[in-house]
Each structure stands twice: as C-alpha cells, then as structure tokens.
Amino acid sequence: MEQNTNQPQAEIESFTLDHDAVKAPYVRLIDTTKGPKGDIISNFDVRLTQPNEEFIDTASLHTLEHLLAKYLRPQIEGYIDCSPYGCRTGFHLLVWNELSSQDAAKALKQALEQTLKTSWDEVPGTKRKECGNYKDHSLEGAKRWAAKILEQGISADAFHHIPV
Ligand SMILES: [Zn+2]
C-alpha cells in the first residue's frame, strides 16, 4: 500500500487500547484528525459489550447498524458513519468536526431508546435490493441488546463506568 503523505499527525490508539481495562458500555473519543484542507473528523469507539466476555450475534448487530444509521444521523450534526466492529462488541462512529463523548453517548442512548419502539416496517434498508444480507436481521435481538445496554447505562468514560 502506498504511503499517504497527507496523513495527518493524530494519535492512533485504537490498537493499543487495553481491552481488559475498559468498562462497557461506553463511548470513547479515539481521536480527532485534521485533514489537509483543515476539515476535522472525530472518531469514536462505541463499545456496547465487554470485550472478550460478550459479543452481539450478527443478526442483532446488523439490525442495530441499520437502526443507528437511522436514529443517530438526525441527532448528530456532521454524522458520517457508524459501522460495526468485526469483533462484534460495538461500532466505530465517525463525525465531521468536534463532538464530546458525553454528547455522543447521549445520542446513542436516545437512538437505543428509539430502537425499543421500532416496528419491523420502520427498520430502513431491509429489502433485498437495499442490503447485502437482507435475511440476516433480528429486530427482536436488536431490541433485547438495546434494552440490556440501556439498563447497564452508557458511559462517556471508557475506564470508569459513569452512565450519562
Ligand atoms: Zn444491511
């Protein structure tokens, strides 16, 4: 892979994070990166389950992905994307400009509360033409996880669990 000489100098700590030290569920600001034209992107670690102890089944995670796209976008100005981790313990959230972990955690909390009230026909992009694995969804599972995460509370501090 060619080296990107425009790569901004940001502290990249996602892979140096001690996954045993964190206390999920939490939202953590990984870094803010300034692009060559001065645009800023904030990168968040949205950890829904405790690493190496619990992970979300793919159908539930997939439906949560579709619902977070629907419910987080209108709440977060400059929302870019929220995509699941391969380890299935959470999501990466990317946002234009700066946003506090506190505000991101509050937006997530509201999105999960909305998830609990969602009916199947309100889940976006579940038709064959709209999704890469349209049969692999579980709204029931997404709601179960949302309820569990809300009950545990979402912290804006990855190492001290203080629910927002
Ligand atoms: Zn999909």
Side-chain angles (χ1 to χ4, degrees):
M1 204 168 140
E2 201 179 312
Q3 182 98 26
N4 180 0
T5 49
N6 288 327
Q7 189 64 41
Q9 295 306 306
E11 196 190 354
I12 297 165
E13 55 158 27
S14 357
F15 290 115
T16 59
L17 174 75
D18 180 351
H19 286 70
D20 285 329
V22 298
K23 293 182 172 74
Y26 67 80
V27 174
R28 182 177 67 96
L29 177 67
I30 298 169
D31 62 24
T32 52
T33 302
K34 200 178 212 176
K37 293 183 178 169
D39 290 326
I40 292 171
I41 288 178
S42 297
N43 180 15
F44 292 92
D45 169 15
V46 176
R47 192 73 59 166
L48 301 182
T49 70
Q50 187 61 33
N52 298 305
E53 283 183 17
E54 207 169 18
F55 57 91
I56 300 174
D57 61 282
T58 48
S60 302
L61 189 71
H62 188 191
T63 305
L64 273 177
E65 178 200 2
H66 283 229
L67 289 173
L68 289 180
K70 175 176 179 168
Y71 293 139
L72 277 182
R73 185 177 292 274
Q75 286 193 72
I76 296 176
E77 204 192 322
Y79 175 96
I80 298 173
D81 186 46
C82 191
S83 299
Y85 292 145
C87 62
R88 294 188 269 152
T89 63
F91 290 79
H92 247 141
L93 170 65
L94 296 176
V95 179
W96 287 115
N97 301 317
E98 293 186 60
L99 176 73
S100 68
S101 293
Q102 193 80 14
D103 285 345
K106 282 181 190 165
L108 174 66
K109 185 180 177 189
Q110 200 176 310
L112 293 178
E113 283 166 355
Q114 286 173 283
T115 293
L116 295 180
K117 298 177 201 153
T118 301
S119 60
W120 176 245
D121 54 5
E122 292 169 320
V123 182
T126 55
K127 307 274 189 316
R128 185 186 166 98
K129 280 189 180 181
E130 303 165 334
C131 176
N133 197 356
Y134 82 109
K135 287 180 180 171
D136 193 21
H137 275 285
S138 173
L139 177 58
E140 198 188 311
K143 286 184 180 183
R144 212 166 36 235
W145 281 105
K148 181 174 179 169
I149 293 156
L150 287 168
E151 199 186 297
Q152 292 173 317
I154 302 156
S155 177
D157 181 325
F159 304 98
H160 304 92
H161 196 71
I162 307 157
V164 293

Coordinates of all heavy atoms in Angstrom, one line a residue, residues 62 65-66 124-125 130-134 136-137, ligand 1:
H62 N -26.5 -6.5 13.0 CA -26.9 -6.0 11.6 C -28.1 -5.0 11.7 O -28.1 -3.9 11.1 CB -27.1 -7.2 10.7 CG -27.3 -6.8 9.3 ND1 -27.8 -7.7 8.4 CD2 -27.1 -5.7 8.6 CE1 -27.8 -7.2 7.2 NE2 -27.4 -5.9 7.3
E65 N -27.2 -1.9 13.4 CA -26.4 -1.0 12.4 C -27.4 -0.2 11.6 O -27.3 1.0 11.4 CB -25.6 -1.9 11.5 CG -24.8 -1.1 10.5 CD -24.3 -1.9 9.3 OE1 -24.6 -3.1 9.2 OE2 -23.7 -1.3 8.4
H66 N -28.4 -0.8 11.0 CA -29.4 -0.1 10.2 C -30.2 0.9 11.0 O -30.4 2.0 10.6 CB -30.4 -1.1 9.6 CG -29.9 -1.9 8.4 ND1 -30.6 -2.0 7.2 CD2 -28.7 -2.6 8.3 CE1 -29.9 -2.7 6.4 NE2 -28.7 -3.1 7.0
P124 N -34.9 0.6 8.4 CA -34.6 1.0 7.0 C -33.7 0.0 6.3 O -32.9 -0.7 6.9 CB -33.8 2.3 7.2 CG -33.2 2.2 8.5 CD -34.1 1.4 9.3
G125 N -33.8 -0.1 5.0 CA -32.9 -0.9 4.1 C -32.9 -2.4 4.3 O -31.9 -3.0 4.3
E130 N -31.7 -3.5 -1.1 CA -31.1 -2.4 -0.2 C -30.0 -2.9 0.7 O -29.4 -2.0 1.4 CB -32.2 -1.8 0.6 CG -33.4 -1.2 -0.2 CD -34.6 -1.0 0.7 OE1 -34.8 -1.6 1.8 OE2 -35.4 -0.1 0.3
C131 N -29.8 -4.2 0.8 CA -28.9 -4.7 1.8 C -28.1 -5.9 1.3 O -28.6 -6.6 0.5 CB -29.7 -5.1 3.1 SG -28.8 -5.8 4.4
G132 N -26.9 -6.1 1.8 CA -26.1 -7.1 1.3 C -26.4 -8.5 1.9 O -25.8 -9.5 1.4
N133 N -27.2 -8.6 2.9 CA -27.5 -9.8 3.6 C -28.9 -9.6 4.3 O -29.0 -9.7 5.5 CB -26.4 -10.2 4.6 CG -26.5 -11.7 4.9 OD1 -27.4 -12.4 4.5 ND2 -25.6 -12.1 5.8
Y134 N -29.9 -9.4 3.4 CA -31.2 -8.9 3.9 C -31.9 -9.9 4.8 O -32.8 -9.5 5.6 CB -32.1 -8.4 2.8 CG -32.8 -9.5 2.0 CD1 -34.2 -9.6 2.1 CD2 -32.1 -10.4 1.2 CE1 -34.9 -10.6 1.5 CE2 -32.8 -11.4 0.5 CZ -34.2 -11.5 0.7 OH -34.9 -12.5 0.0
D136 N -30.4 -11.7 7.1 CA -29.7 -11.8 8.4 C -30.0 -10.6 9.3 O -29.1 -9.7 9.5 CB -28.2 -11.9 8.1 CG -27.4 -12.3 9.3 OD1 -28.1 -12.9 10.3 OD2 -26.2 -12.1 9.4
H137 N -31.2 -10.5 9.7 CA -31.7 -9.4 10.6 C -32.4 -9.9 11.8 O -33.1 -11.0 11.7 CB -32.6 -8.4 9.9 CG -31.9 -7.4 9.1 ND1 -31.3 -6.3 9.6 CD2 -31.7 -7.3 7.7 CE1 -30.7 -5.5 8.7 NE2 -30.9 -6.1 7.5
Ligands
ZN1 ZN -27.6 -4.5 5.8

